[in-house]
Amino acid sequence: MATPQSHADQLKAQAAQAALKFVQEGQIVGVGTGSTVNFFIEALASMKHDIAGAVSSSEASTARLKAHGIEVHELNNVSDLPVYIDGADEIDAHLRMVKGGGGALTREKIIAAVAQKFVCIADSSKQVGRLGGFPVPVEVIPMARSYVARQIVQLGGDPVWRQGFVTDNGNLILDIHNFDILDPVQLEQQLNNIVGVVTNGLFAQRGANIALIASPDGIIQLGK
Ligand code: 5RP
């Protein structure tokens, strides 16, 4: 594994390494997106001959997996996915998350839905008492951008168009600032009910089953 540079990178790499024990031999592994997952992909390469390959949540992760010699399967051909490993932008005590800082939220949510177990890997800076300090990303169909933004203002959020960014699905991202998130499950549903929204970065209805939080004192496992 490459030597992590910063202290934050060291923690991300530790969380990524700890996730290997949830990878089942002979099975396909769900792989998320982001800088923490990039360390996981490096770690996973050490056992690439023991797994049946991966399904990937982004073009970026797919390229990395392939570069490490890990076969990437089409999700439509996979019915049994024991585990999905991914990072988070925020995670609360109930293992509900805000995700999508990298813009891969829709494919991440799809793979999370298929997986039996979601293992979140993160450094302790991602732990929050209440979700919403990190802007909640919403993926929108391009022609619906302004309409969706107006609807989100009515829900109490301040949408900001992530300019110059196009998702792997050809859509746009609105980052919603200043949401007062009292009920993440309800807000996740409300956002998804807006016509033109593909999905949103609240992972509350289907949160993580396990979180591996890397802190200066070591790895803390939450959930089971
Ligand atoms: C990408 C994601 C990532 O999991 C999230 O942004 C965390 O990334 P990082 O590990 O780089 O902090 O949801 O869409």
Side-chain angles (χ1 to χ4, degrees), residues 12 33-37 86-89 99-105 108 126:
K12 289 177 186 184
T33 297
S35 57
T36 314
V37 164
D86 199 359
D89 298 301
K99 291 182 45 54
L105 59 158
E108 291 173 347
K126 306 293 184 64

Side-chain angles (χ1 to χ4, degrees), residues 89 98-105 132-140 145 148-149 152-153 157-165 167 172-179 191 199-201:
D89 298 301
V98 172
K99 291 182 45 54
L105 59 158
F134 191 93
V136 178
V138 176
E139 180 164 354
V140 299
R145 175 176 53 83
V148 170
I152 285 171
V153 168
D158 296 330
V160 176
W161 178 15
R162 199 182 292 184
Q163 297 222 23
F165 184 85
T167 71
L172 305 178
I173 297 283
L174 295 172
D175 290 304
I176 317 305
H177 296 249
N178 303 319
F179 256 148
L191 289 169
T199 195
N200 70 84

Side-chain angles (χ1 to χ4, degrees), residues 17-44:
Q17 191 70 31
L20 284 185
K21 70 171 183 272
F22 293 95
V23 173
Q24 296 182 15
E25 287 195 11
Q27 300 287 336
I28 292 174
V29 186
V31 176
T33 297
S35 57
T36 314
V37 164
N38 289 345
F39 286 114
F40 175 69
I41 293 172
E42 279 187 50
L44 189 64

Side-chain angles (χ1 to χ4, degrees), residues 92-129:
D92 73 8
H94 302 283
L95 308 192
R96 303 174 297 200
M97 295 162 284
V98 172
K99 291 182 45 54
L105 59 158
T106 298
R107 295 187 187 191
E108 291 173 347
K109 204 172 263 195
I110 293 168
I111 300 180
V114 174
Q116 289 163 34
K117 192 169 275 189
F118 186 139
V119 177
C120 176
I121 51 175
D123 63 89
S124 49
S125 71
K126 306 293 184 64
Q127 284 185 299
V128 295

Side-chain angles (χ1 to χ4, degrees), residues 201-223:
L202 277 170
F203 283 57
Q205 295 177 88
R206 198 280 184 258
N209 302 97
I210 292 170
L212 299 172
I213 307 293
S215 76
D217 299 328
I219 301 285
I220 299 161
Q221 178 175 329
L222 305 173

